C-alpha cells in the first residue's frame, strides 16, 4: 500500500531516462520485433535476486517490461506468467510443482553428471536450480545450442504441466532435459526453479502488477515522445497502478487483462474488463477485532450490520448461461467437490435471475437435527470424484453478498443495496440455502447478545459490516476495515488464530518415539517468498492426533531444510515439504531471539507465539495463504496497544526473551 506511492516518487524522478534506457549494463539485449530472449529475463531475475530493496526490484522489472512492450508486445503475457511463476490463471488449477526426483533425473540426463553427485551437491547448496547451473558449467559444450526464447520456455513449461497419462514421467523428464541442454549462464537456475513452482527471488505478484502498470505508461510516452512534466507522469503512474490492481482483483486473468492494457492503457482496460461469471474474484476479507469497543470506535454513528460468522468454507457461486460453478477462497474450482451444493443452488434461483456471482459460506449440516456441524466434517469430504448420492455430510449454504447480477457488476453499490438484491433474487430452501442471519444494531448490549446467540447456533462469532455509503462497497482481495470479525475467542482474551505451515518436526520421547512429539510452525513472508519460523507446538495433542499427524507428515519429510525456510535459531529434527497448514491459537505473542517471524517489521528480532494450541487442519488453504508476516506484526502491535504498552516494539507478557514460554 505504501509501496505504490514510493515507487511513484522514485520512478517519476528518473522517468525521462527510463523511456529510452536499456536495461543498464545488459548484455542480453534484443531488437524490436525479435522474440524476447530468455537470457534477458533470466538476467532481470538475477538482478532482482541480488537485492532486497523493493524500489530497485520494481525499477529493474519496470525497465525490462517497458522494453518488452515497445519491442515485442506479443510476448508480454508469457513474460508476466514467468515472472509470477505460473502458466495459467490460478483458477484453472494448472500447476508445475515438479518433484525433486524427476528434476534430478532431468539434470543428470542433460549434464551427464550422475544422480549421486547431484544429491551430494544438492545437500551442500540446498537449491536444485544452483546445482543445475553449476553442473552445466562443468560440462564442455561441443556446439552452441540455439538461444532460448521466453516464448519457447513458456510453451514447454505449459506442455510439461499438461502432460498426463502412462508415460508422462518420461515425457516430462525429456522436455526438461531438452530445455536444460539449451541453457546458458544462469538460465538453468531459473528454469529449474520454475519447474519446482517457486522462483524465490523475492518478487511478489503485487510488485509485478505495479511494474506492469508503470511500464505501460512509460512505453506510451516513449512512443509519443512528447515532453511531459514529472508531476503528470507521477500522477499517471499512480492511477495506472491502482486501476490495474483493482481490475486484476476483479478478473485475475492475464490473458484477458493484458490485450486491452496494451491497446489502450488502463483507461481502455477499465472499460473493457468487468467481473465475469466463471472467473473467480479475489474475495473481500475482514480485519480482526479484539473487543466490542473496537467495533464501536469504527462504526459508531454509521449504519452498520452484524451477521453470523459461519464456520465453514468460503464459497463463491457463479452462474451464467445456465451453468453453475463454485470457487473456494483461493479461487480453486470446487464444483466437483460440491455436487450437492450445485444441486441445491438450482432450486433457489428465481426466474428473473439470469446470471450472478454470490458470496457465501458452505457449512456442514446435520439434516436430522437441523443444525450446523463443526467445520471438520466438511473437510473430511473428498475433493474429486464425489457423487451426490454417496455424500453423508450435507452442505448448507449461507449467502451473505451478491457481487454481480444479470450482467451488471454490483461491486460499487453499497451493502444495503446488494443485500436487498440478494434477497429479491433467491429463495431460501429449508436445510439447504439461507441468507446469513443478520441484525442491524445500535447499542453495545445488542452486539453482545447477538454474539452469544451466534455461538449458541454453532457459529464462530459475528461479522460487522458497513451498510451505507462509499465505505460499504465490495473490495475484492482487501482485508478491509469495513468488515470486522468478532470471534468469541477474542473476548476470552485470546487473540486471533493463525494459519501456519508445518515446516519441521521433533522426534517424540518416551511413549512417543514412533511419532513426532512436537512441530515447528512458520508464517509466510510474501516479500521474500520465505517461510519464517514462529513457534514450536507440542502440547494439547492426543496420542491419536499425533499418530494421524505422523501418518500424514512422514511422507513429506525432506533431507534438508528448503533454502526458503528462515528458521532463526530453531533446530527441528526433521523438515517437511511446505504443504500442511494448521490453524493455531496462542495465549500471546512476544519478541523472540529464537524465531524469525515478521523480523524487521517491528524490530530486528522476530515474533513468536507463546503457548500455541492446535485448532484444526486448514486443508482449504495453500501454504502461501498462511498468515503472513505483516499479519503477525499487526497482531503483535495490537496486543501491545491492548496491554497499554503503546510504544513500538514494547514487549508484553511475562518471561524474558528465551525464557518462560519459549520452546
Ligand atoms: P477469517 O477466515 O477468520 O479471516 O474470516 C473470514 C471468513 O469468514 C470469510 O472468508 C468467510 O469464509 C467466513 N464467513 C462466515 N460468515 C461470513 C459472513 N457473514 N460474512 C463474511 N464472511 C463470512
Amino acid at each position: 500500500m505504501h509501496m505504490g506511492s514510493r515507487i511513484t516518487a522514485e520512478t517519476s524522478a528518473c522517468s525521462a531516462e527510463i523511456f529510452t534506457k536499456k536495461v543498464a549494463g545488459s548484455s542480453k539485449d534484443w531488437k524490436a520485433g525479435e522474440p524476447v530472449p530468455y537470457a534477458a529475463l533470466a538476467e532481470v531475475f538475477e538482478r532482482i535476486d541480488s537485492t532486497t530493496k523493493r524500489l530497485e526490484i520494481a525499477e529493474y522489472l519496470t525497465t525490462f517490461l517497458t522494453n518488452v512492450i515497445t519491442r515485442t508486445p506479443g510476448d508480454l503475457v508469457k513474460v508476466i506468467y514467468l515472472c509470477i511463476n505460473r502458466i495459467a490463471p490460478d483458477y484453472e488449477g494448472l500447476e508445475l510443482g515438479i518433484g525433486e526426483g524427476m528434476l534430478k533425473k532431468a539434470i543428470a540426463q542433460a549434464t551427464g553428471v550422475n544422480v549421486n553427485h547431484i544429491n551430494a551437491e544438492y545437500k551442500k547448496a540446498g537449491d536444485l536450480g544452483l546445482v543445475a547451473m553449476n553442473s552445466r558449467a562443468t560440462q564442455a559444450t561441443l556446439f552452441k545450442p540455439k538461444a532460448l526464447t521466453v516464448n519457447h520456455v513458456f510453451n514447454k513449461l505449459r506442455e510439461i504441466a499438461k502432460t498426463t497419462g502412462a508415460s508422462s514421467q518420461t515425457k516430462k523428464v525429456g522436455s526438461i532435459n531438452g530445455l536444460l541442454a539449451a541453457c546458458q549462464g544462469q538460465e538453468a537456475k531459473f528454469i529449474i526453479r520454475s519447474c519446482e513452482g517457486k522462483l524465490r527471488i523475492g518478487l511478489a505478484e503485487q510488485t509485478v502488477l505495479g511494474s506492469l502498470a508503470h511500464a505501460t505508461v512509460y512505453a506510451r510516452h516513449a512512443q509519443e515522445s512528447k515532453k511531459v512534466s514529472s508531476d503528470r507522469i507521477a500522477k499517471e503512474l499512480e492511477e495506472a497502478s491502482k486501476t490495474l490492481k483493482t481490475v486484476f482483483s476483479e478478473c485475475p486473468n492475464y490473458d484477458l487483462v493484458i490485450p486491452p492494457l496494451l491497446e489502450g492503457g488502463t483507461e481502455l482496460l477499465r472499460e473493457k474488463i468487468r467481473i465475469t461469471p466463471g472467473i473467480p474474484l479475489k474475495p473481500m476479507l475482514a480485519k480482526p477485532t479484539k473487543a466490542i469497543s473496537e467495533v464501536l470506535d469504527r462504526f459508531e454513528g454509521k449504519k452498520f450490520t452484524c451477521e453470523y460468522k459461519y464456520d465453514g468454507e468460503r464459497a463463491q457461486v457463479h452462474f451464467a448461461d445456465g451453468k453453475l460453478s463454485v470457487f473456494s477462497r483461493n479461487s480453486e474450482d470446487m464444483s466437483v467437490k460440491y455436487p450437492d451444493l450445485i444441486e441445491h443452488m438450482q432450486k433457489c434461483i428465481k426466474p428473473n435471475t439470469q446470471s450472478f456471482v454470490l458470496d457465501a459460506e458452505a457449512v456442514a449440516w446435520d439434516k436430522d437435527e437441523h443444525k450446523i456441524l463443526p467445520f471438520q466434517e466438511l473437510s473430511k469430504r473428498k475433493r474429486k470424484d464425489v457423487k451426490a448420492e454417496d455424500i453423508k455430510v450435507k452442505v448448507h449454504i449461507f449467502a451473505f453478498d451478491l457481487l454481480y447480477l444479470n450482467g451488471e457488476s454490483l461491486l460499487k453499490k453499497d451493502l444495503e443495496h446488494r443485500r436487498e438484491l440478494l434477497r429479491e433474487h433467491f429463495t431460501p430452501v429449508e436445510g439447504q440455502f439461507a441468507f446469513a442471519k443478520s441484525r442491524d444494531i445500535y447499542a453495545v448490549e445488542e452486539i453482545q447478545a447477538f454474539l452469544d446467540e451466534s455461538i449458541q447456533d454453532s457459529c464462530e462469532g459475528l461479522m460487522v459490516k458497513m451498510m451505507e455509503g462509499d465505505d460499504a462497497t465490495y473490495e475484492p482481495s482487501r482485508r478491509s476495515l469495513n468488515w470486522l470479525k468478532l470471534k468469541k475467542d477474542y473476548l476470552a482474551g485470546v487473540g486471533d488464530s493463525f494459519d501456519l505451515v508445518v515446516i519441521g518436526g521433533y522426534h517424540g520421547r518416551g511413549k512417543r518415539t514412533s511419532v513426532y512429539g512436537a512441530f515447528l510452525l512458520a508464517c509466510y513472508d510474501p516479500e521474500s517468498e520465505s517461510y519464517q519460523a514462529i513457534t514450536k507446538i507440542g502440547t494439547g495433542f492426543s496420542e491419536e492426533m499425533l499418530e494421524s499427524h505422523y501418518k500424514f507428515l512422514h511422507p513429506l519429510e525432506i533431507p534438508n531444510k528448503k533454502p526458503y525456510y528462515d528458521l532463526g535459531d530453531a533446530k527441528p529434527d526433521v523438515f517437511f515439504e511446505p504443504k500442511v497448514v494448521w490453524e493455531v491459537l496462542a495465549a500471546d505473542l512476544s519478541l523472540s531471539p529464537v524465531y524469525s517471524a515478521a523480523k524487521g517489521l517491528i524490530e530486528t528480532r522476530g515474533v513468536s507465539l507463546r503457548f500455541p494450541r492446535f485448532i484444526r487442519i486448514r486443508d482449504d488453504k495453500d501454504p502461501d495463504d498462511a498468515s503472513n508476516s505483516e499479519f503477525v506484526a499487526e497482531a503483535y502491535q495490537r496486543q501491545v496497544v491492548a496491554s497499554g504498552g503503546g510504544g513500538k516494539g514494547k514487549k508484553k507478557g511475562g518471561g524474558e526473551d528465551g525464557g518462560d514460554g519459549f520452546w
Side-chain angles (χ1 to χ4, degrees):
M1 29 178 172
H2 312 297
M3 256 298 270
S5 51
R6 277 197 287 156
I7 291 173
T8 304
E10 178 93 330
T11 30
S12 71
C14 61
S15 55
E17 302 94 80
I18 224 169
F19 291 166
T20 49
K21 194 168 67 173
K22 289 190 200 161
V23 179
S26 171
S27 53
K28 313 286 187 307
D29 230 345
W30 78 101
K31 294 201 187 78
E34 284 178 3
V36 180
Y38 184 68
L41 182 64
E43 186 178 62
V44 176
F45 285 169
E46 191 64 38
R47 280 164 180 250
I48 291 174
D49 201 16
S50 68
T51 180
T52 50
K53 296 197 185 102
R54 292 204 217 175
L55 285 178
E56 275 180 16
I57 293 177
E59 206 181 308
Y60 291 145
L61 189 62
T62 306
T63 310
F64 176 69
L65 294 178
T66 309
N67 286 339
V68 173
I69 295 173
T70 50
R71 297 176 194 171
T72 323
D75 279 358
L76 184 63
V77 173
K78 292 175 183 178
V79 166
I80 296 294
Y81 273 125
L82 290 173
C83 286
I84 55 159
N85 210 14
R86 298 199 63 86
I87 36 173
D90 265 0
Y91 58 90
E92 283 184 12
L94 191 62
E95 284 185 13
L96 272 161
I98 292 165
E100 272 171 18
M102 210 190 285
L103 291 176
K104 285 177 186 165
K105 237 191 229 171
I107 298 171
Q109 281 182 14
T111 60
V113 177
N114 75 32
V115 174
N116 287 345
H117 183 75
I118 289 173
N119 276 331
E121 289 300 306
Y122 179 45
K123 227 173 185 167
K124 270 191 256 158
D127 175 3
L128 268 181
L130 276 179
V131 175
M133 185 173 90
N134 295 337
S135 310
R136 272 218 60 77
T138 58
Q139 224 211 3
T141 23
L142 292 177
F143 50 89
K144 212 166 174 238
K146 210 167 149 234
L148 290 172
T149 61
V150 159
N151 187 46
H152 178 71
V153 171
F154 179 82
N155 290 346
K156 274 282 159 200
L157 292 178
R158 189 175 254 198
E159 191 185 297
I160 293 168
K162 282 189 171 166
T163 307
T164 49
S167 52
S168 64
Q169 281 238 3
T170 323
K171 279 191 207 146
K172 284 184 185 184
V173 171
S175 299
I176 301 168
N177 174 1
L179 281 174
L180 288 177
C183 279
Q184 294 176 21
Q186 58 228 355
E187 291 174 335
K189 179 164 90 183
F190 298 112
I191 297 260
I192 289 292
R193 291 200 195 159
S194 284
C195 288
E196 285 179 313
K198 293 283 171 201
L199 259 189
R200 305 283 170 199
I201 54 170
L203 183 58
E205 186 163 6
Q206 286 302 310
T207 310
V208 176
L209 281 167
S211 286
L212 174 59
H214 289 187
T216 52
V217 173
Y218 287 132
R220 195 179 65 228
H221 284 294
Q223 273 149 359
E224 286 171 356
S225 67
K226 262 194 253 155
K227 267 200 164 271
V228 221
S229 74
S230 59
D231 278 358
R232 161 117 180 258
I233 296 278
K235 200 160 162 258
E236 284 183 19
L237 292 174
E238 197 169 333
E239 273 169 16
S241 179
K242 207 169 134 208
T243 308
L244 178 60
K245 286 178 183 175
T246 308
V247 170
F248 190 76
S249 64
E250 293 170 24
C251 175
N253 181 328
Y254 291 104
D255 299 280
L256 298 178
V257 163
I258 287 182
L261 184 67
L262 284 174
E263 195 192 325
T266 43
E267 299 84 35
L268 187 71
L269 180 70
R270 188 60 290 187
E271 203 183 297
K272 286 240 161 126
I273 302 290
R274 293 260 165 243
I275 127 174
T276 314
I279 300 180
L281 296 73
K282 310 257 176 200
M284 179 165 172
L285 300 168
K287 289 251 186 205
T289 40
K290 238 188 145 95
I292 290 177
S293 57
E294 229 179 282
V295 171
L296 290 178
D297 286 346
R298 171 85 186 122
F299 288 109
E300 202 158 30
K302 312 241 168 64
K303 188 161 183 189
F304 68 93
T305 182
C306 293
E307 285 172 359
Y308 273 13
K309 183 178 189 311
Y310 296 92
D311 191 10
E313 203 173 339
R314 186 93 174 232
Q316 202 178 84
V317 188
H318 290 231
F319 180 67
D321 303 323
K323 184 174 180 277
L324 271 162
S325 37
V326 52
F327 296 95
S328 74
R329 177 190 175 122
N330 302 326
S331 307
E332 230 181 294
D333 192 337
M334 305 291 276
S335 315
V336 183
K337 182 176 171 186
Y338 291 122
D340 46 341
L341 190 155
I342 303 272
E343 206 181 294
H344 295 174
M345 279 306 305
Q346 265 148 5
K347 297 179 220 157
C348 340
I349 305 171
K350 285 196 181 163
N352 60 348
T353 312
Q354 267 96 44
S355 63
F356 65 83
V357 175
L358 171 148
D359 208 352
E361 190 79 350
V363 175
W365 183 254
D366 184 331
K367 66 179 183 1
D368 301 324
E369 300 285 323
H370 296 275
K371 61 174 206 196
I372 291 172
L373 290 167
F375 168 87
Q376 285 86 336
E377 295 297 324
L378 207 58
S379 51
K380 284 184 196 154
R381 191 183 272 201
K382 288 197 294 183
R383 285 185 171 246
K384 289 184 185 141
D385 303 325
V386 182
K387 293 197 190 89
E389 62 271 23
D390 299 338
I391 294 170
K392 292 200 182 66
V393 180
K394 293 282 166 196
V395 64
H396 193 304
I397 310 150
F398 290 95
F400 53 77
D401 218 320
L402 188 61
L403 319 183
Y404 179 93
L405 180 70
N406 295 341
E408 208 194 317
S409 166
L410 304 180
L411 299 182
K412 294 275 169 269
K413 310 263 186 241
D414 62 18
L415 178 59
E416 192 163 37
H417 190 152
R418 299 199 303 274
R419 188 191 268 176
E420 226 173 81
L421 291 173
L422 175 69
R423 294 184 177 169
E424 258 173 50
H425 287 80
F426 297 85
T427 320
V429 175
E430 165 70 24
Q432 298 184 356
F433 178 94
F435 303 118
K437 190 162 172 183
S438 67
R439 192 168 296 167
D440 304 343
I441 282 175
Y442 298 97
V444 193
E445 309 80 68
E446 287 181 67
I447 300 184
Q448 183 65 59
F450 196 46
L451 178 68
D452 293 342
E453 231 176 87
S454 79
I455 306 296
Q456 264 165 26
D457 286 343
S458 311
C459 288
E460 272 189 304
L462 298 179
M463 295 290 277
V464 192
K465 300 177 179 179
M466 199 70 90
M467 272 288 261
E468 227 180 31
D470 291 345
D471 285 341
T473 58
Y474 190 94
E475 303 165 82
S477 83
R478 290 209 48 211
R479 197 171 277 289
S480 167
L481 269 175
N482 299 323
W483 280 17
L484 297 182
K485 50 183 173 174
L486 193 58
K487 294 201 219 174
K488 63 175 175 218
D489 290 332
Y490 303 163
L491 303 183
V494 200
D496 196 11
S497 63
F498 295 82
D499 297 320
L500 301 171
V501 185
V502 190
I503 60 166
Y506 298 79
H507 296 309
R509 300 206 192 106
K511 276 199 301 185
R512 295 177 164 181
T513 44
S514 58
V515 295
Y516 308 116
F519 306 87
L520 181 66
L521 305 182
C523 67
Y524 182 62
D525 180 41
E527 280 310 317
S528 59
E529 290 181 283
S530 65
Y531 295 100
Q532 300 174 322
I534 189 167
T535 195
K536 177 177 169 185
I537 181 167
T539 46
F541 294 109
S542 66
E543 302 299 320
E544 248 181 339
M545 282 160 97
L546 285 177
E547 248 164 56
S548 120
H549 289 324
Y550 183 82
K551 259 196 210 140
F552 200 81
L553 286 164
H554 185 62
L556 300 179
E557 260 193 37
I558 45 174
N560 295 305
K561 91 172 187 67
K562 297 271 184 193
Y564 47 85
Y565 284 179
D566 184 352
L567 298 180
D569 276 339
K571 295 185 183 66
D573 298 323
V574 296
F575 294 99
F576 302 120
E577 285 285 348
K579 287 251 155 68
V580 178
V581 180
W582 286 355
E583 184 175 346
V584 162
L585 261 181
D588 73 5
L589 299 100
S590 71
L591 288 173
S592 158
V594 179
Y595 294 102
S596 56
K599 71 177 185 198
L601 292 182
I602 296 159
E603 55 164 74
T604 43
R605 283 182 295 177
V607 170
S608 82
L609 298 189
R610 301 175 77 232
F611 309 114
R613 186 154 59 83
F614 172 83
I615 308 287
R616 64 186 174 193
I617 299 171
R618 290 292 304 245
D619 54 6
D620 60 321
K621 283 203 163 184
D622 288 335
D624 291 1
D625 302 312
S627 302
N628 63 31
S629 33
E630 207 171 302
F631 180 84
V632 172
E634 271 179 21
Y636 175 80
Q637 301 280 24
R638 242 194 337 270
Q639 174 187 284
V640 172
V641 173
S643 69
K648 209 182 175 204
K650 189 172 178 299
K651 192 170 155 296
K652 187 221 167 199
E656 286 304 304
D657 290 344
D660 175 32
F662 281 98
W663 294 89

